[in-house]
Amino acid sequence: EPEVTQTPSHQVTQMGQEVILRCVPISNHLYFYWYRQILGQKVEFLVSFYNNEISEKSEIFDDQFSVERPDGSNFTLKIRSTKLEDSAMYFCASSRVYEQYFGPGTRLTVT
Amino acid sequence: KQEVTQIPAALSVPEGENLVLNCSFTDSAIYNLQWFRQDPGKGLTSLLLIQSSQREQTSGRLNASLDKSSGRSTLYIAASQPGDSATYLCAVPPFQGGSEKLVFGKGTKLTVNP
């Protein structure tokens, strides 16, 4: 069964460094998303992407964040200058229409 | 602004028991609701998606119902097993149409004791 994959599973970085989180969505899906979950808190929406452009973003998704679909399979989230409060699980999701399928997540730890 | 609440926050039951998890949302103008399962430190697994035109959706021992007018959904798990132990999340779009993002509840942590 097709699934969303994410790499790396765990990333440790120092404050101020840039990180790129990678995702391979399900191949025939059209909509792509990033969510995050700070430990013990709700899953929060960051951004959605459709037709090679951002379709919606939350207030969390400020100028430090960017997304890209560099080729036909990968979908990336870049954080330019990480802060301690960016430490969280980051989930990629994709959907063909309504039902969203999530990847296993990347645990980002900013020290 | 759409808010999703899940009650109870945690539930512990003996194996074999039937149980109900509750989800409520403030804006009833939704076009679907999705239930997920999350194992500790893992991603979210989609369990069921109910369209606004449906009242129920079933998958194996799981049955989800949706009452849009009252802003409620329930997830019924029949004959619970220790492997069902996980956190169950419900999620809805913020309003009907125009947004694909999901708004999540905080989840119900289920423990099924052998």
Side-chain angles (χ1 to χ4, degrees):
Chain A
E1 186 174 322
E3 57 184 21
V4 177
T5 60
Q6 290 185 244
T7 54
S9 56
H10 191 191
Q11 173 99 42
V12 180
T13 190
Q14 289 190 327
M15 196 167 50
Q17 295 296 303
E18 174 183 287
V19 295
I20 298 176
L21 310 183
R22 302 181 192 278
C23 168
V24 179
I26 294 173
S27 62
N28 64 349
H29 283 187
L30 305 173
Y31 299 86
F32 313 110
Y33 313 84
W34 285 100
Y35 292 81
R36 79 174 185 188
Q37 186 178 33
I38 294 170
L39 189 64
Q41 298 189 22
K42 294 183 179 184
V43 177
E44 303 174 284
F45 168 79
L46 292 177
V47 65
S48 58
F49 194 85
Y50 171 71
N51 203 24
N52 287 318
E53 61 182 25
I54 290 174
S55 51
E56 189 174 359
K57 60 183 181 180
S58 72
E59 58 274 10
I60 303 168
F61 194 89
D62 61 22
D63 293 343
Q64 294 299 314
F65 291 88
S66 62
V67 290
E68 199 173 47
R69 189 155 161 82
D71 53 43
S73 58
N74 290 285
F75 181 51
T76 62
L77 174 70
K78 182 193 289 188
I79 309 174
R80 287 190 184 81
S81 178
T82 50
K83 307 187 206 62
L84 293 175
E85 55 264 37
D86 293 328
S87 295
M89 279 287 280
Y90 287 80
F91 295 109
C92 173
S94 69
S95 66
R96 181 155 178 80
V97 185
Y98 294 127
E99 188 165 2
Q100 294 189 23
Y101 294 86
F102 281 66
T106 292
R107 179 169 298 283
L108 177 65
T109 303
V110 183
T111 62
Chain B
K1 182 184 168 188
Q2 182 73 278
E3 300 277 350
V4 179
T5 303
Q6 292 188 247
I7 293 172
L11 183 62
S12 181
V13 299
E15 183 176 1
E17 192 160 300
N18 302 325
L19 57 101
V20 174
L21 307 180
N22 297 292
C23 171
S24 61
F25 43 94
T26 52
D27 187 342
S28 61
I30 61 169
Y31 53 89
N32 62 59
L33 180 145
Q34 199 166 350
W35 280 94
F36 293 89
R37 168 188 173 134
Q38 184 176 29
D39 293 284
K42 304 287 186 185
L44 282 65
T45 301
S46 178
L47 297 173
L48 290 162
L49 179 136
I50 314 178
Q51 301 284 8
S52 61
S53 56
Q54 300 173 305
R55 292 189 64 84
E56 281 190 11
Q57 189 71 263
T58 298
S59 176
R61 293 182 293 107
L62 306 179
N63 176 276
S65 67
L66 175 62
D67 184 345
K68 272 184 58 176
S69 61
S70 67
R72 291 181 185 173
S73 176
T74 61
L75 180 67
Y76 174 83
I77 302 177
S80 58
Q81 302 170 357
D84 295 331
S85 297
T87 296
Y88 290 80
L89 305 173
C90 77
V92 295
F95 49 82
Q96 191 164 18
S99 173
E100 307 93 20
K101 76 178 186 185
L102 291 177
V103 178
F104 281 83
K106 205 167 179 187
T108 293
K109 184 177 180 180
L110 173 66
T111 303
V112 180
N113 301 299

Coordinates of all heavy atoms in Angstrom, one line a residue, chain B residues 33-74:
Chain B
L33 N -15.1 14.8 8.2 CA -14.4 14.7 9.5 C -13.5 13.4 9.4 O -14.0 12.4 8.9 CB -15.4 14.6 10.7 CG -14.8 14.4 12.1 CD1 -15.7 15.1 13.1 CD2 -14.6 13.0 12.5
Q34 N -12.3 13.5 9.9 CA -11.4 12.4 9.8 C -11.0 11.9 11.2 O -10.6 12.8 12.0 CB -10.2 12.8 8.9 CG -9.4 11.6 8.3 CD -8.5 12.1 7.2 OE1 -8.5 13.2 6.7 NE2 -7.6 11.2 6.8
W35 N -10.9 10.6 11.4 CA -10.4 10.0 12.7 C -9.0 9.4 12.3 O -8.9 8.8 11.3 CB -11.3 9.0 13.2 CG -12.5 9.5 14.0 CD1 -13.8 9.8 13.5 CD2 -12.6 9.8 15.4 NE1 -14.6 10.2 14.5 CE2 -13.9 10.3 15.6 CE3 -11.6 9.8 16.4 CZ2 -14.3 10.7 16.9 CZ3 -12.0 10.2 17.7 CH2 -13.3 10.6 17.9
F36 N -8.1 9.7 13.3 CA -6.7 9.1 13.1 C -6.4 8.4 14.4 O -6.9 8.6 15.5 CB -5.7 10.3 13.0 CG -5.8 11.1 11.7 CD1 -6.7 12.2 11.7 CD2 -5.1 10.7 10.6 CE1 -6.8 12.9 10.5 CE2 -5.2 11.5 9.4 CZ -6.0 12.6 9.4
R37 N -5.4 7.5 14.2 CA -4.7 6.9 15.3 C -3.3 7.3 15.4 O -2.6 7.4 14.3 CB -4.8 5.4 15.1 CG -4.0 4.5 16.1 CD -4.0 3.1 15.7 NE -3.0 2.4 16.5 CZ -3.2 1.3 17.1 NH1 -4.4 0.6 17.0 NH2 -2.3 0.7 17.9
Q38 N -2.8 7.6 16.6 CA -1.3 7.9 16.7 C -0.7 7.1 17.8 O -1.1 7.1 19.0 CB -1.2 9.4 17.0 CG 0.3 9.9 17.1 CD 0.5 11.3 17.3 OE1 -0.3 12.0 17.9 NE2 1.6 11.9 16.8
D39 N 0.3 6.3 17.4 CA 1.1 5.5 18.4 C 2.2 6.4 18.9 O 2.6 7.3 18.2 CB 1.6 4.3 17.7 CG 0.5 3.3 17.4 OD1 0.0 2.7 18.4 OD2 0.1 3.2 16.2
P40 N 2.7 6.2 20.1 CA 3.7 7.1 20.8 C 4.9 7.3 19.9 O 5.5 6.4 19.4 CB 4.1 6.3 22.0 CG 2.9 5.4 22.3 CD 2.3 5.0 21.0
G41 N 5.2 8.6 19.6 CA 6.4 8.9 18.8 C 6.2 8.6 17.4 O 7.2 8.7 16.6
K42 N 5.0 8.3 16.9 CA 4.8 7.9 15.5 C 3.9 8.9 14.8 O 3.4 9.9 15.4 CB 4.2 6.5 15.5 CG 5.0 5.4 16.2 CD 6.2 5.0 15.5 CE 6.9 3.9 16.2 NZ 8.2 3.5 15.6
G43 N 3.7 8.6 13.5 CA 2.9 9.4 12.7 C 1.4 9.1 12.9 O 1.0 8.3 13.8
L44 N 0.6 9.7 12.1 CA -0.9 9.6 12.2 C -1.4 8.6 11.2 O -1.0 8.7 10.0 CB -1.6 10.9 12.0 CG -1.6 11.9 13.2 CD1 -0.2 12.4 13.5 CD2 -2.5 13.1 12.8
T45 N -2.2 7.6 11.6 CA -2.8 6.7 10.6 C -4.2 7.0 10.5 O -5.0 7.1 11.5 CB -2.6 5.3 11.2 OG1 -1.2 5.0 11.4 CG2 -3.2 4.2 10.2
S46 N -4.6 7.3 9.2 CA -6.0 7.6 9.0 C -6.9 6.3 9.2 O -6.6 5.2 8.7 CB -6.2 8.0 7.5 OG -7.6 8.3 7.2
L47 N -7.9 6.5 10.0 CA -8.8 5.3 10.3 C -10.1 5.4 9.5 O -10.5 4.4 8.8 CB -9.2 5.4 11.8 CG -8.1 5.2 12.8 CD1 -8.6 5.4 14.2 CD2 -7.4 3.8 12.6
L48 N -10.7 6.6 9.5 CA -12.0 6.7 8.8 C -12.2 8.2 8.4 O -11.8 9.1 9.2 CB -13.2 6.4 9.7 CG -13.4 4.9 10.1 CD1 -14.3 4.7 11.3 CD2 -14.0 4.1 8.9
L49 N -12.8 8.4 7.3 CA -13.2 9.7 6.9 C -14.7 9.7 6.6 O -15.2 8.8 5.9 CB -12.5 10.2 5.6 CG -12.9 11.6 5.1 CD1 -11.7 12.4 4.7 CD2 -13.8 11.5 3.9
I50 N -15.4 10.6 7.2 CA -16.9 10.7 7.0 C -17.2 12.0 6.3 O -16.8 13.1 6.7 CB -17.7 10.7 8.4 CG1 -17.2 9.7 9.3 CG2 -19.2 10.5 8.1 CD1 -17.9 9.7 10.7
Q51 N -17.9 11.8 5.2 CA -18.3 13.0 4.4 C -19.5 13.6 5.1 O -20.3 12.9 5.8 CB -18.7 12.6 3.0 CG -17.6 12.0 2.2 CD -16.6 13.0 1.7 OE1 -16.6 14.1 2.1 NE2 -15.6 12.5 0.9
S52 N -19.8 14.9 4.9 CA -20.9 15.6 5.6 C -22.2 15.0 5.2 O -23.2 15.1 5.9 CB -20.9 17.1 5.2 OG -21.0 17.3 3.9
S53 N -22.3 14.3 4.0 CA -23.6 13.7 3.6 C -23.8 12.4 4.2 O -24.9 11.8 4.1 CB -23.5 13.5 2.1 OG -22.4 12.8 1.7
Q54 N -22.8 11.8 4.9 CA -22.9 10.5 5.6 C -23.2 10.7 7.0 O -22.8 11.7 7.6 CB -21.6 9.7 5.4 CG -21.2 9.5 4.0 CD -19.8 8.8 3.9 OE1 -18.9 9.3 4.4 NE2 -19.8 7.7 3.2
R55 N -23.8 9.7 7.6 CA -24.0 9.7 9.1 C -23.1 8.8 9.8 O -22.8 8.9 11.0 CB -25.5 9.4 9.4 CG -26.5 10.5 9.0 CD -27.9 10.2 9.5 NE -27.9 10.2 11.0 CZ -28.1 11.3 11.7 NH1 -28.1 12.5 11.1 NH2 -28.1 11.3 13.0
E56 N -22.7 7.7 9.0 CA -21.8 6.7 9.6 C -20.8 6.2 8.6 O -21.0 6.2 7.4 CB -22.7 5.5 10.1 CG -23.4 5.7 11.4 CD -24.0 4.3 11.9 OE1 -23.6 3.3 11.3 OE2 -24.8 4.4 12.8
Q57 N -19.7 5.7 9.2 CA -18.7 5.0 8.3 C -18.1 3.9 9.2 O -17.8 4.1 10.4 CB -17.6 6.0 7.9 CG -16.6 5.6 6.9 CD -17.2 5.4 5.5 OE1 -17.6 4.3 5.1 NE2 -17.3 6.5 4.8
T58 N -17.9 2.7 8.5 CA -17.5 1.6 9.3 C -16.2 1.0 8.6 O -16.1 1.0 7.4 CB -18.6 0.5 9.3 OG1 -19.7 1.0 10.0 CG2 -18.1 -0.8 10.1
S59 N -15.3 0.5 9.5 CA -14.1 -0.2 9.0 C -13.8 -1.2 10.1 O -13.3 -0.9 11.2 CB -12.9 0.8 8.8 OG -11.8 0.1 8.4
G60 N -14.1 -2.5 9.8 CA -13.8 -3.5 10.7 C -14.5 -3.3 12.1 O -15.7 -3.2 12.1
R61 N -13.7 -3.3 13.2 CA -14.4 -3.1 14.5 C -14.6 -1.6 14.8 O -15.1 -1.3 15.9 CB -13.4 -3.7 15.5 CG -13.3 -5.2 15.5 CD -12.4 -5.8 16.6 NE -11.0 -5.3 16.5 CZ -10.4 -4.4 17.3 NH1 -11.1 -3.9 18.2 NH2 -9.2 -4.1 17.1
L62 N -14.3 -0.7 13.9 CA -14.5 0.7 14.1 C -15.8 1.2 13.4 O -16.0 0.8 12.3 CB -13.3 1.5 13.6 CG -11.9 1.1 14.1 CD1 -10.9 2.0 13.4 CD2 -11.8 1.2 15.6
N63 N -16.5 2.1 14.1 CA -17.6 2.7 13.5 C -17.6 4.2 13.9 O -17.6 4.5 15.1 CB -18.9 2.0 14.0 CG -20.2 2.7 13.4 OD1 -20.6 3.7 14.0 ND2 -20.7 2.3 12.3
A64 N -17.6 5.1 13.0 CA -17.7 6.5 13.3 C -19.0 7.1 12.8 O -19.5 6.7 11.8 CB -16.5 7.2 12.6
S65 N -19.6 7.9 13.7 CA -20.8 8.6 13.3 C -20.6 10.1 13.3 O -19.6 10.6 14.0 CB -21.9 8.3 14.3 OG -21.6 8.8 15.6
L66 N -21.4 10.8 12.6 CA -21.3 12.3 12.5 C -22.6 12.9 12.6 O -23.6 12.5 11.8 CB -20.6 12.6 11.1 CG -20.5 14.1 10.8 CD1 -19.7 14.8 11.8 CD2 -20.0 14.3 9.4
D67 N -22.8 13.8 13.5 CA -24.0 14.6 13.6 C -23.6 16.1 13.5 O -23.2 16.7 14.4 CB -24.6 14.4 15.0 CG -26.0 15.1 15.1 OD1 -26.2 16.0 14.3 OD2 -26.7 14.8 16.1
K68 N -23.7 16.6 12.2 CA -23.2 17.9 12.0 C -24.0 19.0 12.7 O -23.4 19.9 13.2 CB -23.4 18.2 10.5 CG -22.2 17.8 9.6 CD -22.4 18.2 8.2 CE -22.6 19.7 8.0 NZ -22.7 20.1 6.6
S69 N -25.3 18.8 12.8 CA -26.1 19.8 13.4 C -25.8 20.1 14.9 O -25.8 21.2 15.4 CB -27.6 19.5 13.3 OG -27.9 18.2 14.0
S70 N -25.3 19.0 15.6 CA -24.9 19.2 17.0 C -23.4 19.4 17.1 O -22.9 19.5 18.2 CB -25.4 18.0 17.8 OG -24.7 16.8 17.4
G71 N -22.7 19.3 16.0 CA -21.3 19.4 16.1 C -20.5 18.3 16.8 O -19.6 18.6 17.6
R72 N -21.0 17.1 16.5 CA -20.4 15.9 17.3 C -20.1 14.8 16.4 O -20.8 14.5 15.4 CB -21.4 15.5 18.4 CG -21.5 16.4 19.5 CD -22.4 15.9 20.6 NE -22.7 16.9 21.6 CZ -23.5 16.8 22.6 NH1 -24.3 15.7 22.7 NH2 -23.7 17.7 23.4
S73 N -19.1 14.0 16.8 CA -18.8 12.7 16.1 C -18.4 11.8 17.2 O -17.8 12.2 18.3 CB -17.6 12.9 15.1 OG -17.3 11.6 14.6
T74 N -18.7 10.5 17.0 CA -18.2 9.5 17.9 C -17.5 8.4 17.2 O -17.8 8.1 16.0 CB -19.4 8.8 18.7 OG1 -20.3 8.2 17.8 CG2 -20.2 9.8 19.6

